[in-house]
Amino acid sequence: MPINILFAALPKRWTEYEAPLRAALDKHGLDYILETDLPPQDVDYIVYAPNSAVQDFTPYTRLKAVLNIWAGVEAIVGNPTLKVPLTRMVDSEGLTRGMVEWVTGHVLRHHLGMDRHIVNPDHDWDPAIPPLAPERPVAILGFGALGQACARSLQGLGFAVCGWSRSAKAIEGLTCDHGQDGLKRVLTHAGIVVLLLPDTPETENTLNAQTLSWLPKGAFVINPGRGPLIDDDALIAALDRGQIAHATLDVFRTEPLPKGHPFWSHPKITVTPHIAADTRPASAAQVLAENIRRSEADEALLYTVDRSAGY
Ligand code: NAP
């Protein structure tokens, strides 16, 4: 009997995903039906985006797993109708590469002080030389798939990187800390802080008035994680008094960021429209097909979400 796979995401995603997903499933020799509309009681797997029309999983009585095409799961992880395993997107060839490029680029922008040469209306000849990377400690809050990949890239350029996570970990070649005491230790030394935490009740306002004050004066904040990780008012206050030199923000509590939001016009804030790392269908399809293959072979799924932890 064929495996029934429902693709539940916005219609434009179907046009991007259908061909690569079929090719990846074919590569594994799987017998399957892949559609955007199937009788719920027949569905074995849902390839899923949390902004799809499927929000109630109750009618999917023989569902084996939901495979999220996004890395972030905050919009589905608490869904009480979801009773089967949930996986999230970890894709070293696509999503992770995108995040590494975006983070590395924005770290270098601030580290090198590029802005003062790009926008220089008074034609100032300012030969100030920036410090070298080893003199610019970078803190990465959230040291999972994306945080570690960014750390390796930045470390390769010579930055002194320290990660921060929920649990203690030993990762070859990388330095990291954990827990609330660890957060203070990590921030106290950071010239640049990058947020790559998931959005959970525990991570909300990780950067707040107090934790922002732990950063050295003139530090830079880069947030490609999720909007709620930062207390917006505390950030603006820290920018206005010079505690933070600049914040580059890709994610917001409300998206799209509403026109007229103070972030748009703040001279020390750069807004990017949640583009740090999109899922890339060609490589993401390989990850999705591999998980369906694994499940059908009774092997453990990759990248399963810990529903109790919220990520
Ligand atoms: P991940 O592998 O699950 O890593 C999450 C990290 O956060 C882990 O190191 C985890 O600690 C840590 N963490 C979680 N709760 C914590 C807490 N309360 N205190 C301290 N550390 C905590 O996730 P990922 O794949 O790296 O993705 C991270 C986030 O990036 C996603 O959740 C998503 O929100 C965001 N993202 C944004 C974009 C974009 O385009 N802007 C694209 C993709 C992803 P442990 O290691 O101890 O578990």
Side-chain angles (χ1 to χ4, degrees), residues 71-74 88-90 95 99 142-147 164-167 169 196-200 202-203 224-226 250-251 274-278 311:
V73 291
E74 67 276 9
R88 60 189 204 88
M89 184 50 65
V90 176
L95 188 90
M99 185 60 82
F143 219 42
L146 297 175
W164 181 73
S165 58
R166 192 164 65 114
S167 54
K169 46 180 91 229
L196 278 167
L197 292 157
D199 176 8
T200 71
E202 278 184 37
T203 60
R226 283 293 184 261
D250 184 56
V251 285
H274 201 142
I275 43 86
D278 202 1
Y311 67 97

Side-chain angles (χ1 to χ4, degrees), residues 200-221:
T200 71
E202 278 184 37
T203 60
E204 181 164 16
N205 295 332
T206 295
L207 285 191
N208 54 43
Q210 183 183 44
T211 55
L212 285 163
S213 76
W214 293 341
L215 286 159
K217 192 172 169 63
F220 298 94
V221 170

Side-chain angles (χ1 to χ4, degrees), residues 14 20 36 72 84 86 92 96 99 108 132 201 221 254 290 292 295:
W14 176 239
T36 55
V84 297
L86 169 68
S92 57
T96 304
M99 185 60 82
L108 283 174
L132 291 171
V221 170
T254 305
E290 168 62 8
I292 291 172
S295 175

Side-chain angles (χ1 to χ4, degrees), residues 11-284:
K12 78 168 184 135
R13 284 303 201 177
W14 176 239
T15 55
E16 297 166 356
Y17 268 88
E18 183 184 3
L21 206 41
R22 287 191 191 283
L25 292 161
D26 290 345
K27 204 175 78 182
H28 289 302
L30 295 169
D31 178 18
Y32 65 90
I33 291 170
L34 172 66
E35 295 294 343
T36 55
D37 193 14
L38 285 168
Q41 67 277 10
D42 293 347
V43 173
D44 296 301
Y45 299 94
I46 304 182
V47 173
Y48 188 73
N51 60 356
S52 85
V54 177
Q55 296 297 324
D56 179 5
F57 295 92
T58 315
Y60 297 88
T61 47
R62 76 175 214 200
L63 194 60
K64 296 177 189 169
V66 171
L67 313 173
N68 203 44
I69 63 172
W70 298 358
V73 291
E74 67 276 9
I76 180 181
V77 74
N79 188 321
T81 67
L82 180 62
K83 309 284 189 198
V84 297
L86 169 68
T87 65
R88 60 189 204 88
M89 184 50 65
V90 176
D91 172 17
S92 57
E93 291 306 311
L95 188 90
T96 304
R97 241 176 228 284
M99 185 60 82
V100 167
E101 291 181 12
W102 188 92
V103 167
T104 305
H106 286 279
V107 164
L108 283 174
R109 168 195 171 193
H110 294 310
H111 168 63
L112 295 173
M114 288 179 179
D115 291 15
R116 68 179 197 279
H117 303 300
I118 293 170
V119 181
N120 187 4
D122 300 328
H123 301 176
D124 284 336
W125 185 263
D126 174 9
I129 301 297
L132 291 171
E135 301 159 56
R136 181 91 68 182
V138 177
I140 301 188
L141 309 187
F143 219 42
L146 297 175
Q148 289 178 36
C150 291
R152 291 196 191 280
S153 165
L154 294 171
Q155 204 163 268
L157 292 169
F159 287 99
V161 182
C162 186
W164 181 73
S165 58
R166 192 164 65 114
S167 54
K169 46 180 91 229
I171 307 163
E172 199 179 339
L174 295 176
T175 305
C176 53
D177 211 326
H178 70 283
Q180 281 309 302
D181 292 350
L183 181 60
K184 187 165 190 180
R185 281 191 293 271
V186 168
L187 290 183
T188 304
H189 300 290
I192 298 177
V193 57
V194 179
L195 290 107
L196 278 167
L197 292 157
D199 176 8
T200 71
E202 278 184 37
T203 60
E204 181 164 16
N205 295 332
T206 295
L207 285 191
N208 54 43
Q210 183 183 44
T211 55
L212 285 163
S213 76
W214 293 341
L215 286 159
K217 192 172 169 63
F220 298 94
V221 170
I222 299 179
N223 185 16
R226 283 293 184 261
L229 301 177
I230 302 182
D231 176 334
D232 293 356
D233 293 338
L235 176 64
I236 289 179
L239 288 161
D240 288 344
R241 67 172 187 277
Q243 167 67 9
I244 304 299
H246 196 102
T248 295
L249 309 174
D250 184 56
V251 285
F252 306 91
R253 286 169 190 267
T254 305
E255 294 182 8
L257 185 65
K259 297 222 184 286
H261 189 285
F263 284 171
W264 281 116
S265 52
H266 198 288
K268 294 181 181 173
I269 292 180
T270 299
V271 169
T272 63
H274 201 142
I275 43 86
D278 202 1
T279 307
R280 309 293 168 140
S283 49

